[in-house]
């Protein structure tokens, strides 16, 4: 799905966006996407060490590079699912959660994990939009050169998108867990949540980029990864 048809694209909201409970239907899809990102990451980590020597240096740059390209492509595919459905779920969650949920209780930790997800989704959506623009510029090129350029552009997009996919690998499950916990509350208070969800969705749209909260800094790892590792 292109940026122009994404649920974060402002005025052209899908009809179900007017249903305050519509976001609940996306929870299984997001759960599957988060699992897919983690599976791609785990599959790469399982073999990446074997492609490096004892000091962490690559044994074969081409084989190692091909492995990362495969990981990045698979992860980006699942990250796009979050671009398509994440903003609506996030709006529904924020409409259903109340003040005490953020302070204590079973979802307080997960709500804190979501502090930077706005920025993650926004930057990933910008990357997808840039990709759409590049492909539009290439429209009309010779088939052979178009395919070659598209493959290289996809590889670049996926490589840049790995950072956001990696963040969604832990922000995504937190969003799903919060959504599942709040599902019963949303079902009871559905009519009263409609306007709150609409406002939250508007705030997460590209037109509100200037007011998005900054993503909290990622804490440094206790030990730097060896040169061959993906993280």
């Amino acid at each position: 799905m292109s940026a122009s048809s994404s649920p974060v694209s402002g005025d052209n909201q899908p009809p179900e966006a007017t249903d305050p409970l519509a976001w609940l239907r996306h929870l299984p899809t997001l759960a599957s996407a988060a699992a897919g990102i983690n599976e791609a990451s785990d599959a790469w980590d399982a073999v990446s060490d074997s492609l490096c020597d004892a000091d962490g240096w690559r044994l074969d740059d081409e084989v190692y590079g091909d492995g990362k390209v495969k990981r990045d492509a698979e992860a980006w595919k699942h990250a796009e699912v979050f671009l398509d459905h994440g903003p609506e779920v996030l709006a529904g969650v924020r409409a259903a959660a109340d003040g005490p949920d953020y302070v204590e209780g079973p979802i307080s930790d997960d709500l804190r994990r979501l502090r930077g997800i706005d920025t993650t989704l926004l930057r990933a959506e910008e990357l997808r939009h840039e990709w759409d623009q590049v492909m539009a510029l290439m429209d009309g090129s010779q088939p052979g050169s178009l395919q070659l350029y598209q493959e290289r552009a996809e590889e670049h997009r996926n490589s840049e998108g790995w950072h956001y996919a990696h963040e969604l690998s832990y922000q995504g499950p937190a969003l799903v867990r919060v959504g599942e916990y709040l599902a019963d509350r949303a079902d009871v208070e559905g009519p009263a949540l409609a306007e709150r969800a609409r406002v939250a969705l508007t705030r997460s749209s590209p037109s509100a980029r200037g007011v998005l909260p900054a993503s909290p800094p990622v804490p440094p790892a206790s030990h730097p990864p060896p040169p061959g590792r993906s993280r």
Side-chain angles (χ1 to χ4, degrees), residues 65-81:
D66 288 345
K68 288 191 70 175
V69 166
K70 180 180 178 181
R71 178 205 66 180
D72 294 346
E74 185 69 14
W76 177 256
K77 178 182 70 175
H78 296 296
E80 284 199 295
V81 175

Side-chain angles (χ1 to χ4, degrees), residues 54-89:
D55 295 323
W57 298 104
R58 304 174 186 178
L59 298 173
D60 188 315
D61 283 342
E62 183 176 355
V63 173
Y64 188 93
D66 288 345
K68 288 191 70 175
V69 166
K70 180 180 178 181
R71 178 205 66 180
D72 294 346
E74 185 69 14
W76 177 256
K77 178 182 70 175
H78 296 296
E80 284 199 295
V81 175
F82 279 92
L83 296 184
D84 294 336
H85 304 295
E88 187 177 347
V89 173

Side-chain angles (χ1 to χ4, degrees), residues 6 36 58 75 99 105 108 133-134 157 162 164-166 189 194 201 204 228:
S6 169
R58 304 174 186 178
S108 58
Q133 290 181 315
V134 168
R157 178 201 62 192
W162 164 249
Y164 309 118
H166 179 50
E189 302 178 11
L201 185 59
S204 65

Side-chain angles (χ1 to χ4, degrees), residues 6 45 105 123:
S6 169
D45 287 342
R123 300 294 179 248

Side-chain angles (χ1 to χ4, degrees), residues 18-229:
T18 59
D19 178 0
L21 302 182
W23 60 273
L24 296 173
R25 296 197 293 269
H26 302 309
L27 291 176
T29 302
L30 294 188
S32 177
I37 295 173
N38 279 303
E39 287 171 5
S41 179
D42 291 344
W44 167 244
D45 287 342
V47 300
S48 60
D49 281 346
S50 67
L51 302 177
C52 302
D53 63 20
D55 295 323
W57 298 104
R58 304 174 186 178
L59 298 173
D60 188 315
D61 283 342
E62 183 176 355
V63 173
Y64 188 93
D66 288 345
K68 288 191 70 175
V69 166
K70 180 180 178 181
R71 178 205 66 180
D72 294 346
E74 185 69 14
W76 177 256
K77 178 182 70 175
H78 296 296
E80 284 199 295
V81 175
F82 279 92
L83 296 184
D84 294 336
H85 304 295
E88 187 177 347
V89 173
L90 188 60
V93 160
R94 287 176 172 164
D98 54 30
D101 289 322
Y102 290 86
V103 178
E104 58 183 1
I107 59 172
S108 58
D109 287 342
D110 280 332
L111 286 171
R112 282 190 287 272
R113 291 186 181 97
L114 296 180
R115 290 177 57 191
I117 195 172
D118 298 88
T119 302
T120 302
L121 293 173
L122 175 59
R123 300 294 179 248
E125 182 61 46
E126 288 175 343
L127 183 62
R128 179 163 70 170
H129 182 62
E130 291 171 3
W131 157 259
D132 288 341
Q133 290 181 315
V134 168
M135 289 298 98
L137 290 173
M138 289 298 295
D139 188 33
S141 300
Q142 294 296 323
S145 60
L146 176 60
Q147 180 179 359
L148 177 62
Y149 190 87
Q150 181 173 351
E151 290 175 356
R152 292 177 177 175
E154 280 182 352
E155 184 176 329
H156 175 75
R157 178 201 62 192
N158 298 343
S159 176
E160 292 292 312
W162 164 249
H163 171 71
Y164 309 118
H166 179 50
E167 290 189 339
L168 288 169
S169 71
Y170 57 88
Q171 292 172 335
L175 179 60
V176 172
R177 288 191 296 267
V178 170
E180 290 174 344
Y181 178 84
L182 294 172
D184 291 340
R185 187 186 304 174
D187 188 43
V188 173
E189 302 178 11
L193 297 177
E195 179 61 16
R196 288 162 59 185
R198 186 195 65 79
V199 171
L201 185 59
T202 300
R203 287 176 177 171
S204 65
S205 69
S207 62
R209 288 174 182 172
V211 299
L212 285 177
S215 199
V218 178
S222 56
H223 299 285
R229 298 292 290 178

